Structures are given as C-alpha cells and as structure tokens.
C-alpha cells in the first residue's frame, strides 16, 4: 500500500502541482573567478568526466577486466560463486565477514543475476556485483573488502493510465488495458475500505493513473497509484494521493481519508463461501445453526491480515475453531480469525499488531471441511455482519493544506477522466 514516511516539510502536493507547468529558471553567476582557478576547475572536471565515461553502470572501469554475466543456481552459496573464479576460501570468508554490515551474503537467492569482473592476467575475480532486485546492487571488492558497497541504479518514473469495464475479473481487465498484474493488488489496497473486492461484478468500471518505473528502458513494475476512480454497484469512488506533511495518504475528492479504522476484508483475492446468517446448514454437524461469521475460501497458506491496529487477546488452538487468533482493536470492535493452518511467528496474547499485518495463514484446522478463513466481527461484544456497518474515516486533509489539495485534485482529475488507457503522459520524477 501507500508507503508511510511522514515528513515535517512542506507537503509534496506542491511538487505534484508543478508537474503540470514546470519552468526552469537560470541566471548568470554572481561572482568571478581567476583564469588559473577556472583552468584548474576545467581540468578537474574534464578528468572526472573521462573517469565517469570509462566506468560502467556499477562504477567499475569495465575495460580493465574480463566481464561475465551469470545467475545464481539453486543451492549455490557465496563461496560457490567465488571459488570457481579463482578466489581462495580464506579470502572468501574474510570478504563475507568484512562486508556483513553492507550485505549479508546468506541473503543471496537462486535466480538472481550477478556479474564477475575477472583480472585477465591473474585469472582471478576482482569484483562481484550481485543484484538482489532490478534496482539495488552490491559491489563486492575482492581485493579491498572494506571498499565494498551497496548502490541503486537510477529509476525513471512516468505516469501511465490503465482502466476499463470489468467483464470477467479485475486482473484480466487490467492486463487487457496494458496494466501490470501488481496493479490489481495496489488498486484493492487503495480502495480496501470502500469496496469489497470479493463482490466486484461484471459492468464495474475503473481508471487508474500510476507510476511506471523503468531501469535502462526496462519496466521493473508499477510504483504507487497517483489517482484512481472505481465505479462499483452504481457508485463512483475517487482516490487521490496527497502528502499533507504527515505522510502520503489517499483521499477522496472532498479531502476525506479513504482509510478507515478497519479493512473490509482480512485477506486478498478469494471468494466468500458463506455469509453471516442466523440459520445455516452445517456441512459437518449436519444440522441448521447460526453462523455468525464470514467464510472466505482460499488456498492453504494464504496470508491472513489483521483488519486494524489492536492487541492480540488469544492466539492458540481452540477446539472447533482450530488455530484461532482474536484481536481487540478498541473499546468497540474485536475481530476473530478461525481455522488457520498456523499462527504467524510472534503473534501471542498481548502482542500489538498493525492494520494489514500478517497474523496467520489460511487452513482447515478444527471443525472444517476444507481450507478457508472464518472471519468473526464483534461490536460492543455482539457478533455482527461486518458488511452491514459503515466505519468512520481516518483524519481528513488538514484545513491549512486544502488549497494545495484542491489544486492537485483539479489537475489529476483532468488526466484521470480525459486520457485513455495505455497513455503515458507525464514525467513524474520529483
């Protein structure tokens, strides 16, 4: 979801406004320098430019070495990578020890790419560059381990649109409009408090403006959603990302937060197999009885999230409930999560959990016929249907930031409504 990094600076909203009319101003220098200083500065600059020109994307002078690209194979260790490159085992141990604060070599994963810079005269690796993901890289200096470092490749960000009318699924519609699969998750997170994505239906419509990130021209996955609307069951919901000085959040067109005290659902992308009712035929007991919960059918192991901040009251196996977690969110609301295959590490009575934090995994423990989550919801101690209530929103945009917010919304609303899917229309580097 929106990543939460509060700042005390002027809201980033102003930067968003400037994206629509960016003017660069320049002026002459307000000082003079001697010709000798200028000559020295020019010479240093030229030398720096030459050095930079000979270095590759990882800051290494590639022309001095024989360079090979590889991928980490299954069960390979850091030592395995270097032993075959002529590096002695004791040197590998020293390198791993001295770079532990930079990168723990035990985190190297199969399938990730790495580059070897081999000294052609010594037939020995001088540098190993490991890439944990598309952006980050680790330069291991075999000769001088203390010079090893972590870096990030420059990421270009542009805004792009996707959207359509749902015919079969949100995922399929996004793919057909040129969106990425991750956008389905991002969109469900933005509207997690307004829309039950287990109930979206044929004919629902949406449009989203999102950050498209690239490294060296290659897409590396979408970034944050900038703005979106979703038409669900005849009602239109809007979302605009805005930073009012306390971190980026999503707000509707009036400045109300989209975030609520509790999420609509405790897991993503499954289906409701049984709803809250006072009379349901129990498949195991073979008789009618109340079912004061909502059953979500999902594969075993699907993460289950706490729908809100709170304190764990119970986390253990309990008879028919199987592995069961109960969370008190405040004096009014409490939730329960039943039939878990296992309870997440660290979840025990007294533990404080955050909204969206994984507290367990879907299973079929206790009185159950198959993998599912039985989600319970209590208000003032009474079991109720969570879909029958409207929860109050979190904080709105502060009054002193409403002018900036209105400007952002006006600009984004135009792009949201007037640009067709697959359109890339703004350089979004801030």
């Amino acid at each position: 979801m929106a990543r939460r990094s509060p700042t005390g600076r002027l809201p980033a909203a102003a930067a968003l406004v400037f994206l629509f009319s960016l003017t660069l101003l320049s002026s002459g220098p307000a000082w003079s320098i001697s010709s000798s200083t200028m000559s020295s500065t020019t010479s240093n600059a030229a030398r720096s430019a030459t050095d930079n020109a000979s270095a590759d994307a990882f800051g290494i002078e590639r022309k001095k070495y024989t360079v090979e690209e590889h991928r980490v194979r299954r069960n390979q260790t850091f030592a395995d990578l270097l032993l075959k490159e002529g590096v002695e085992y004791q040197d590998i141990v020293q390198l791993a020890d001295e770079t532990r604060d930079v990168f723990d070599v035990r985190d190297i994963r199969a399938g990730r790419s790495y580059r070897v810079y081999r000294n052609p005269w010594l037939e020995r690796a001088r540098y190993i560059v490991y890439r944990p993901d598309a952006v980050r890289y680790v330069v291991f200096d075999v000769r001088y381990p203390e010079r090893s470092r972590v870096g990030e490749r420059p990421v270009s960000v542009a805004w792009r649109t996707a959207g359509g009318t749902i015919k079969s699924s949100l995922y399929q519609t996004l793919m057909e409009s040129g969106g990425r699969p991750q956008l389905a998750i991002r969109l469900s997170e933005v509207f997690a408090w307004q829309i039950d994505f287990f109930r979206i239906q044929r004919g629902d419509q949406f449009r989203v403006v999102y950050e498209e990130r690239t490294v060296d021209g290659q897409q590396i996955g979408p970034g944050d959603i900038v703005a979106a609307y979703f038409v669900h069951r005849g009602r239109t919901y809007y979302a605009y990302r805005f930073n009012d000085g306390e971190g980026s959040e999503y707000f509707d067109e009036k400045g109300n937060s989209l975030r609520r005290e509790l999420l609509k659902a405790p897991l993503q992308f499954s289906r409701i197999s049984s709803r809250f009712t006072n009379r349901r035929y129990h498949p195991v007991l073979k008789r009618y009885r109340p079912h004061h919960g909502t059953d979500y059918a999902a594969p075993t192991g699907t993460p289950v999230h706490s729908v809100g901040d709170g304190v764990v009251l119970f986390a253990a196996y309990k008879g028919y409930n199987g592995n069961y977690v109960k969370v008190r969110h405040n004096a009014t609301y409490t939730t329960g999560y039943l039939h878990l295959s296992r309870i997440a590490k660290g979840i025990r009575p007294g533990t404080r959990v955050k909204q969206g934090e994984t507290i367990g995994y879907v299973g079929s423990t206790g009185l159950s016929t198959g993998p599912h989550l039985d989600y319970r919801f209590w208000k003032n101690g009474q079991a109720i249907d969570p879909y029958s209530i409207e929860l109050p929103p979190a904080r709105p945009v502060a009054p002193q930031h409403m002018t900036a917010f209105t400007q952002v919304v006006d600009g984004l609303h135009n792009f949201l409504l007037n640009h067709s899917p697959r359109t890339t229309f703004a350089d979004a580097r801030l």
Side-chain angles (χ1 to χ4, degrees):
M1 269 191 78
R3 304 1 162 195
R4 319 174 185 109
S5 54
T7 68
R9 298 192 296 269
L10 185 67
L16 290 172
V17 175
F18 294 150
L19 285 174
F20 306 119
S21 57
L22 180 63
T23 303
L24 298 177
L25 301 178
S26 61
S27 59
W31 62 87
S32 61
I33 55 178
S34 67
S35 59
S36 60
T37 303
M38 175 67 80
S39 174
S40 175
T41 302
T42 304
S43 175
N44 289 336
R47 189 181 303 112
S48 177
T50 302
D51 291 343
N52 290 337
S54 62
D56 64 10
F58 306 111
I60 300 173
E61 293 187 59
R62 179 172 180 153
K63 64 182 181 181
K64 294 182 177 180
Y65 305 99
T66 301
V67 181
E68 294 181 356
E69 295 278 352
H70 301 280
R71 287 195 180 275
V72 180
R73 297 196 303 272
R74 186 178 180 183
N75 297 325
Q76 272 193 317
T77 66
F78 183 64
D80 294 332
L81 305 184
L82 287 171
L83 284 171
K84 66 186 182 67
E85 301 299 338
V87 183
E88 298 293 334
Y89 187 78
Q90 61 268 27
D91 293 335
I92 298 173
V93 172
Q94 181 183 358
L95 178 60
D97 286 342
E98 294 194 23
T99 59
R100 192 178 303 277
D101 292 339
V102 175
F103 183 84
D104 191 333
V105 299
R106 293 174 297 181
D107 290 334
I108 286 178
R109 296 289 180 264
R112 301 298 188 188
S113 61
Y114 69 96
R115 178 180 290 184
V116 180
Y117 295 78
R118 187 184 298 106
N119 185 314
W121 304 104
L122 301 177
E123 285 296 314
R124 184 175 187 267
R126 170 62 198 276
Y127 300 102
I128 295 285
V129 178
Y130 172 71
R131 281 167 274 185
D133 53 50
V135 176
R136 294 184 303 138
Y137 61 87
V138 186
V139 177
F140 292 99
D141 191 323
V142 177
R143 185 176 180 184
Y144 301 107
E146 68 277 6
R147 297 180 184 177
S148 299
R149 55 191 168 83
V150 174
E152 292 189 356
R153 303 174 74 188
V155 179
S156 298
V157 180
W159 288 356
R160 186 175 173 88
T161 60
T165 300
I166 295 175
K167 297 177 182 178
S168 57
S169 70
L170 173 61
Y171 172 85
Q172 185 64 33
T173 306
L174 273 169
M175 295 300 291
E176 290 175 354
S177 67
R180 306 293 293 275
Q182 300 96 317
L183 273 179
I185 300 294
R186 302 277 170 83
L187 196 59
S188 72
E189 291 173 342
V190 169
F191 290 112
W193 295 270
Q194 287 69 41
I195 299 171
D196 176 11
F197 278 80
F198 299 106
R199 294 183 175 182
I200 57 175
Q201 57 190 16
R202 183 188 299 270
D204 284 354
Q205 299 176 341
F206 68 94
R207 180 73 60 79
V208 57
V209 179
Y210 66 97
E211 296 173 339
E212 182 179 69
R213 304 184 303 155
T214 59
V215 172
D216 292 338
Q218 299 295 315
Q219 291 187 5
I220 61 171
D224 290 334
I225 287 176
V226 179
Y229 74 75
F230 206 108
V231 182
H232 175 59
R233 296 179 179 266
R235 181 176 176 182
T236 303
Y237 300 88
Y238 287 95
Y240 301 96
R241 188 182 63 178
F242 181 74
N243 187 335
D244 64 357
E246 296 187 26
S248 293
E249 293 279 358
Y250 290 96
F251 301 89
D252 66 15
E253 69 276 18
K254 296 180 181 178
N256 296 314
S257 175
L258 295 190
R259 188 163 52 86
R260 296 293 191 269
E261 289 186 31
L262 303 176
L263 294 170
K264 276 283 189 180
L267 71 174
Q268 295 174 329
F269 292 101
S270 184
R271 64 182 177 85
I272 294 177
S273 55
S274 182
R275 300 183 184 279
F276 186 99
T277 178
N278 288 319
R279 190 171 187 269
R280 184 192 73 160
Y281 185 77
H282 197 284
V284 177
L285 299 178
K286 306 298 182 184
R287 66 174 184 265
Y288 286 94
R289 57 182 290 177
H291 180 252
H292 290 167
T294 303
D295 287 352
Y296 296 93
T300 297
T302 300
V304 175
H305 311 294
S306 175
V307 297
D309 294 357
V311 177
V312 176
L313 298 179
F314 185 89
Y317 192 93
K318 187 178 181 180
Y320 286 176
N321 294 341
N323 288 322
Y324 168 46
V325 175
K326 190 174 186 178
V327 179
R328 182 181 65 234
H329 302 287
N330 50 39
T332 303
Y333 299 111
T334 302
T335 55
Y337 312 81
L338 286 62
H339 308 305
L340 302 172
S341 60
R342 60 188 176 94
I343 296 169
K345 185 178 180 180
I347 300 300
R348 59 180 63 89
T351 301
R352 291 192 172 274
V353 293
K354 291 291 187 181
Q355 186 178 72
E357 182 177 343
T358 298
I359 57 175
Y361 303 87
V362 170
S364 187
T365 57
L367 195 63
S368 169
T369 58
H372 73 288
L373 173 71
D374 185 347
Y375 172 55
R376 302 296 175 104
F377 191 97
W378 295 274
K379 181 178 181 180
N380 296 320
Q382 181 179 354
I384 63 172
D385 182 354
Y387 294 104
S388 67
I389 62 173
E390 182 69 23
L391 294 166
R395 62 172 179 82
V397 174
Q400 64 268 31
H401 298 308
M402 277 304 297
T403 299
F405 174 76
T406 300
Q407 291 177 310
V408 170
V409 169
D410 289 345
L412 289 175
H413 194 74
N414 173 59
F415 284 104
L416 191 60
L417 298 184
N418 299 323
H419 288 77
S420 61
R422 298 176 183 266
T423 302
T424 302
F425 56 82
D427 186 348
R429 286 176 293 181
L430 298 178

